[in-house]
Amino acid sequence: MTMRLQLVQTRPSLDVDFHTASDEFKAVKSSMVDAGTLVDQGGSNDETGLKRTWILDFDTEGSLLAFESNVSVKLYGNARRSYNDSNGITETKMTQVI
C-alpha cells in the first residue's frame, strides 16, 4: 500500500524564509527515489506565498518508517522545527494511505 507524507508549513510573512533542507536529508531522499521506494511529488507555495506544501509518496509503510527513522531525516526535522519555532512558522504533518 502506498503511503503519502504531506507537510504543510505556513509562515507569518514573505519576509520570513522557509527552512532549507540539509544536504544529508536531500541525499537520503535522493537514494530512496533512486531505489524506487519514494516518489518525491515536490513542494509548492500557494497563491499568497505564505503556505508551502511538500508531498512524498512511499511504496510501502515500511519505506515510510525507514525514512522517518533515518538519523539524517531526524536531525533535519529537529533543525527545521527549531527554525520554525524561532521564526513563527507553523507546520502540519499528515500521513495517509493512498
Side-chain angles (χ1 to χ4, degrees), residues 1-7 25 28 32 36-39 55-71 73-74 93-98:
M1 96 185 78
T2 302
M3 301 295 296
R4 172 164 285 173
L5 176 62
Q6 179 175 306
L7 181 68
F25 173 81
V28 170
M32 292 186 78
T37 58
L38 165 63
V39 175
I55 297 175
L56 302 175
D57 291 337
F58 296 86
D59 64 338
T60 65
E61 184 177 9
S63 295
L64 170 62
L65 294 174
F67 177 80
E68 290 184 324
S69 66
N70 181 282
V71 172
V73 172
K74 285 183 178 184
K93 183 173 143 181
M94 184 176 72
T95 305
Q96 67 187 64
V97 177
I98 58 168

Side-chain angles (χ1 to χ4, degrees), residues 19 22 24 70-81:
H19 189 265
S22 67
E24 294 82 6
N70 181 282
V71 172
S72 294
V73 172
K74 285 183 178 184
L75 289 172
Y76 164 66
N78 291 339
R80 187 187 70 244
R81 283 186 293 280

